[in-house]
Amino acid sequence: MKAVFIVKNSTPEKSFQIKETDQPKVANHEVGIKVEAFGLNYADVMARLGIYPDAPPLPAIVGYEVVGKIVEVGADVQNRKVGDRVVAMTRFGGYAEFAKTDARATAIIPENMNAGKATALATQYGTAYFAAEEMTRMQEGDHVLIQAAAGGVGTALVQLAKWRKCTIFGTAGSQKKIDYLKSQGVHYPINYREQDFVKEVKKVVGDRGLDLVFDSIGGNYIKKGFGLLGAGGRIIGYGAAQMTNANFFKKIKIGLGFGFYSPIQLLSNSKSIIGVNMLRIADHRPDTIERCLKNVVALTEQGILNPVVGAEFKMNEIAKAHAFLQGRQSTGKVVVYVK
Ligand SMILES: NC(=O)c1ccc[n+]([C@@H]2O[C@H](COP(=O)([O-])OP(=O)(O)OC[C@H]3O[C@@H](n4cnc5c(N)ncnc54)[C@H](OP(=O)(O)O)[C@@H]3O)[C@@H](O)[C@H]2O)c1
C-alpha cells in the first residue's frame, strides 16, 4: 500500500515522503479499513515539528482518523463486518491507503455521508463531545467561551453549544474567520489578534462571569480564561497551540503562563480546571471513545451537527495541506482524499 511517512521534523516541504509499505496486520480485536479519506488534526502538525510527546518515532505514519470500508475483521470482533462503511479513530497510521484500529474506535456511517465531513467526526467532534457533553455537561443558558472557535474542534464545540442553547463567545485570528463564526451562529465573535478577548467578554458578562471556557491555546490563555469564570465555572484545557513556534525560553514562559492553582482556591470559589487528552481516554476507556463516536454520528444524521470541510487535498498534496493548517488558514476540517 501507499502511505505518507514523516521522515524528518521539518517544514511541510521537507518532512514527507510517500512510499510503498506493507499493509498493517490486523489483531483479533481490530478491523482493517480501505481508506477513502483521512483527516488532518493540529496534533499532526505538532508531530511533524517534533513537539508532540505521544507521536511515534520517525519514520512514522501519523493520522488520527480515516473514513472507508472494512476489508478485514479480527477473530474477536462481533460488531463489525467486511463491507461496513465506517469513520474510525486511528492510533496513528491514518495517512495511508489501508489502516487498522480497535473495532470499538469505529462507527458505521451511511453510504451517502460525505467522506470529508465524516472524517471530522472522529477526533475533532469526538473530543468536543467528550469535553462539552461528558466532562462539563454544558447546559442551556451557559455563557461559553470557545478559543480558536473557527478550527476543527472549535467548530464542533460551537455546534454543540448552539444545540444546548448557550450564549457563545468565540475567538479567531482573522476577519474571514470572524465572518465564518457569525455564519455558525456565534453570538460574540472576537478577533483575538486585534482585540483583548478578556475585555470583550467582560463588556458583555460583567461580574457574572463565564460558565465554561474551552481552551486549545494554553499558557496565559488558561490563566486569563480562569479569571473570567464565575462561580460553578469550568475551564477545559485540551491543547497548547501557543507552543507551535516556541523556542526553549518561550516554552518555559508559556509553561509558567498557565498559572498556579491550589485545590483550596478551587473549592472556595467553586471553579474547576479540567484537562482532556483523548489518547489517554482511548487507552483507559475505549468504550468512552465508542460512545462519543456513536453519539456524534447520530447527532449528524439527525442534522443537529454538521461538520464543515474547510479544505480538501489529495494524498500527494500532503505538504500543502500541512502548510495550510499550520498557517492558521483553515476553518473546520482539513481533509485528504487517498485517490
Ligand atoms: N487533547 C486532545 O485530546 C485533543 C484532541 C484534538 C485536538 N486537540 C487540540 O485542539 C486544538 C484544535 O485542533 P484542531 O485539529 O481542531 O485544529 P484547528 O483548530 O483547526 O487549527 C488550529 C488553530 O489554532 C489557532 N492557533 C492559535 N494559536 C496558534 C499558533 N500559535 N499557531 C498556530 N495556530 C494557532 C489557529 O486559529 P486562529 O487563527 O483562529 O487563531 C489555528 O487555525 C489543537 O491545539 C489540538 O492540539 C486536542
Side-chain angles (χ1 to χ4, degrees):
M1 67 166 188
K2 263 196 205 137
V4 178
F5 284 81
I6 298 181
V7 291
K8 64 168 120 161
N9 297 128
S10 182
T11 59
E13 298 72 33
K14 291 181 183 158
S15 295
F16 296 110
Q17 270 179 24
I18 298 178
K19 296 194 282 193
E20 281 293 328
T21 187
D22 292 340
Q23 240 172 265
K25 288 205 171 24
V26 170
N28 289 349
H29 64 291
E30 292 178 329
V31 292
I33 300 163
K34 184 172 189 301
V35 177
E36 285 171 52
F38 58 81
L40 257 56
N41 285 282
Y42 202 72
D44 304 352
V45 170
M46 294 185 127
R48 197 197 79 235
L49 293 169
I51 56 170
Y52 188 59
D54 285 308
L58 303 188
I61 308 172
V62 296
Y64 278 116
E65 71 233 343
V66 299
V67 165
K69 282 260 165 79
I70 293 185
V71 287
E72 212 181 326
V73 176
D76 298 340
V77 174
Q78 307 283 335
N79 59 344
R80 298 286 175 267
K81 59 180 189 321
V82 169
D84 285 344
R85 185 169 186 248
V86 290
V87 53
M89 231 182 229
T90 48
R91 188 55 174 271
F92 309 111
Y95 286 20
E97 288 180 325
F98 291 87
K100 64 160 192 168
T101 194
D102 189 316
R104 290 169 294 184
T106 67
I108 295 178
I109 55 167
E111 286 297 323
N112 63 358
M113 187 182 277
N114 174 277
K117 279 181 186 277
T119 58
L121 296 177
T123 312
Q124 293 172 335
Y125 277 70
T127 303
Y129 185 90
F130 179 66
E133 289 290 302
E134 303 213 345
M135 294 302 287
T136 62
R137 297 190 62 79
M138 191 156 61
Q139 302 288 332
E140 182 168 347
D142 278 350
H143 287 55
V144 176
L145 169 64
I146 301 164
Q147 302 284 22
V153 182
T155 298
L157 286 168
V158 167
Q159 293 182 0
L160 287 164
K162 259 195 89 175
W163 175 45
R164 290 300 185 198
K165 300 190 173 65
C166 299
T167 299
I168 312 169
F169 298 80
T171 59
S174 69
Q175 186 53 45
K176 197 174 142 221
K177 289 185 181 182
I178 294 296
D179 294 341
Y180 169 81
L181 291 185
K182 284 182 192 156
S183 76
Q184 285 291 310
V186 170
H187 303 100
Y188 299 99
I190 304 166
N191 184 338
Y192 57 0
R193 290 171 103 172
E194 289 178 358
Q195 291 169 293
D196 178 345
F197 76 86
V198 173
K199 275 192 195 152
E200 294 305 311
V201 171
K202 275 190 178 163
K203 267 188 212 166
V204 181
V205 296
D207 293 336
R208 181 203 182 278
L210 293 169
D211 302 292
L212 283 167
V213 176
F214 294 95
D215 185 276
S216 61
I217 315 288
N220 59 351
Y221 281 70
I222 288 280
K223 197 172 174 180
K224 289 179 185 176
F226 183 80
L228 284 168
L229 295 178
R234 293 86 84 202
I235 182 162
I236 303 92
Y238 63 93
Q242 267 204 77
M243 291 284 187
T244 308
N245 298 313
N247 60 25
F248 176 75
F249 296 104
K250 191 158 175 222
K251 277 183 188 152
I252 303 259
K253 195 172 164 213
I254 294 168
L256 294 172
F258 275 86
F260 298 90
Y261 308 87
S262 88
I264 298 170
Q265 174 196 12
L266 300 180
L267 189 157
S268 63
N269 295 312
S270 197
K271 296 184 184 181
S272 308
I273 304 174
I274 298 167
V276 166
N277 180 342
M278 295 308 275
L279 284 183
R280 294 291 93 77
I281 302 299
D283 288 339
H284 182 58
R285 292 291 300 267
D287 54 318
T288 298
I289 300 290
E290 187 176 28
R291 185 178 60 247
C292 291
L293 206 48
K294 197 170 140 204
N295 288 341
V296 292
V297 170
L299 289 169
T300 305
E301 287 185 282
Q302 290 161 34
I304 292 166
L305 300 178
N306 183 14
V308 176
V309 175
E312 297 175 303
F313 296 90
K314 292 192 187 118
M315 200 166 171
N316 61 7
E317 297 174 313
I318 189 69
K320 242 168 102 179
H322 262 240
F324 189 75
L325 183 58
Q326 187 181 348
R328 302 174 78 154
Q329 294 176 66
S330 61
T331 48
K333 187 72 193 164
V334 179
V335 58
V336 176
Y337 289 89
V338 165
K339 287 280 176 262

